[in-house]
Amino acid sequence: MELRHLRYFVAVAEELSFTRAAARLGIAQPPLSQQIGKLERELEVRLFERGPRGVRLTTAGTALLGEARMVLARTGEATRIVRQVEHGRTGAVRVGSVASGFSGVLLDLLPAFRAAYPAVLPLVYEMEAVPQLEALGQGRIDIGFLRSSAPHPGVSLWPLRAEPLVAALPEDHELARAERVPLAALAGEPFVLFPRADAPEAFDTIIGACDRAGFAPDVVYEASNDHTLVALVASGLAVSLVPGSTSNLRIPGARYRPVDPAEPAATMSAAIPATRAARPAVNLLELARSRAAGERSRDGGPSPTDAA
């Protein structure tokens, strides 16, 4: 039994006329009559009583009509669901992000994504750059937001935003009262940084900024994420240099100040698998790039970096 036979049958049953049903279906009447006859032979029942004034359903035809309508409705719903999945309009998208990404890029991006794709559930996981790249390769996340612009095997990177470094200081630190903090003034201060193994490009950016200011930071603490890092600063144990978006992490006791000279942080990028990327992740990437394009158009910006 073919679905088209059920569609033909329902049309005739509802119109009670082969002529009107054929016009409704956009086919000629003889082929329609032939297909209904084929369906009756396959089922070994008569579905219609044919007469000079038209047709009427038999008892078997009446029983089939309800079932046929249900089958066609469920087929239509299955088609809708499959198309929604194919176009990334339903399901879930697993998102990895550095903590500053939550307060920076994702802060504006996720509400816009939910408005555009209300049936897609974003599942967001905090992780640093290297763990994100590993998770992408292992299929544990669908898209990542990380501070990196260097090519990585199997990953397509799309730079979104370059932010300046800012000084993270305890609120009672004398430099916290300055409008801008000279980088050289941080020489000799105890520093807290994240491990280089987790985010080598961002780590090297900070070390390079200190080197150009004439000192090597005295790293006395390491923090596995931005929240812990800023909490250590807020407690008065250390200072740090962080991307500008980290300043959206409002932890009592911490203050953020621009540095002089201004130093760029590692670029925030979106990353997806180079092949077979999940459609919801592609939709999220396209939205992120679209929103970042406005920022880059004012002063220029990086172009995509793809790696096989």
Side-chain angles (χ1 to χ4, degrees):
M1 184 185 304
E2 300 180 27
L3 286 175
R4 65 190 178 98
H5 290 158
L6 291 181
R7 294 191 186 96
Y8 294 166
F9 164 73
V10 169
V12 176
E14 292 177 347
E15 298 293 341
L16 293 179
S17 165
F18 278 87
T19 301
R20 291 193 298 272
R24 169 175 155 182
L25 293 167
I27 62 175
Q29 180 176 336
L32 175 60
S33 298
Q34 293 170 7
Q35 295 302 320
I36 294 298
K38 182 178 180 180
L39 177 61
E40 289 177 319
R41 290 191 295 274
E42 182 178 348
L43 295 175
E44 298 181 350
V45 299
R46 290 185 62 80
L47 299 172
F48 296 101
E49 294 290 346
R50 296 153 173 85
R53 296 184 178 180
V55 298
R56 64 183 181 86
L57 285 166
T58 64
T59 302
T62 300
L64 179 61
L65 180 58
E67 296 297 323
R69 283 171 170 162
M70 184 173 63
V71 169
L72 292 175
R74 294 191 66 176
T75 300
E77 178 64 9
T79 300
R80 186 191 68 80
I81 291 173
V82 168
R83 288 175 177 168
Q84 290 278 68
V85 171
E86 174 66 19
H87 293 92
R89 294 189 173 276
T90 190
V93 57
R94 299 166 298 173
V95 184
S97 178
V98 294
S100 57
F102 293 128
S103 54
V105 173
L106 290 180
L107 188 66
D108 298 323
L109 180 59
L110 286 181
F113 180 76
R114 288 287 289 160
Y117 302 96
V120 178
L121 175 65
L123 305 173
V124 186
Y125 307 94
E126 181 181 341
M127 57 182 70
E128 292 300 326
V130 171
Q132 282 190 58
L133 293 170
E134 293 173 349
L136 282 168
Q138 295 166 3
R140 292 186 286 110
I141 61 173
D142 303 309
I143 185 171
F145 292 87
L146 62 158
R147 297 201 173 277
S148 178
S149 58
H152 187 82
V155 172
S156 290
L157 279 173
W158 298 85
L160 300 175
R161 176 189 296 173
E163 299 171 318
L165 288 176
V166 298
L169 304 163
E171 63 180 357
D172 59 358
H173 196 289
E174 62 179 356
L175 292 174
R177 296 189 292 273
E179 185 175 340
R180 301 182 69 87
V181 173
L183 265 177
L186 298 178
E189 294 282 351
F191 263 72
V192 54
L193 293 178
F194 42 83
R196 185 182 187 279
D198 287 346
E201 188 170 331
F203 182 93
D204 290 346
T205 296
I206 292 171
I207 297 300
C210 294
D211 182 65
R212 285 187 292 277
F215 72 98
D218 180 18
V219 181
V220 296
Y221 294 101
E222 284 192 339
S224 61
N225 57 65
D226 290 347
H227 289 95
T228 302
L229 184 151
V230 176
L232 287 170
V233 169
S235 69
L237 295 175
V239 303
S240 191
L241 289 172
V242 296
S245 60
T246 302
S247 63
N248 290 320
L249 299 177
R250 300 299 184 181
I251 296 180
R255 295 290 182 269
Y256 305 92
R257 293 291 181 267
V259 296
D260 188 19
E263 288 280 352
T267 300
M268 174 68 76
S269 298
I272 60 172
T275 59
R276 298 182 180 179
R279 185 66 218 185
V282 174
N283 292 341
L284 181 57
L285 170 64
E286 291 175 349
L287 183 59
R289 292 181 60 209
S290 175
R291 295 175 74 86
E295 299 176 12
R296 292 201 303 268
S297 66
R298 291 191 294 271
D299 55 6
S303 58
T305 301
D306 293 324

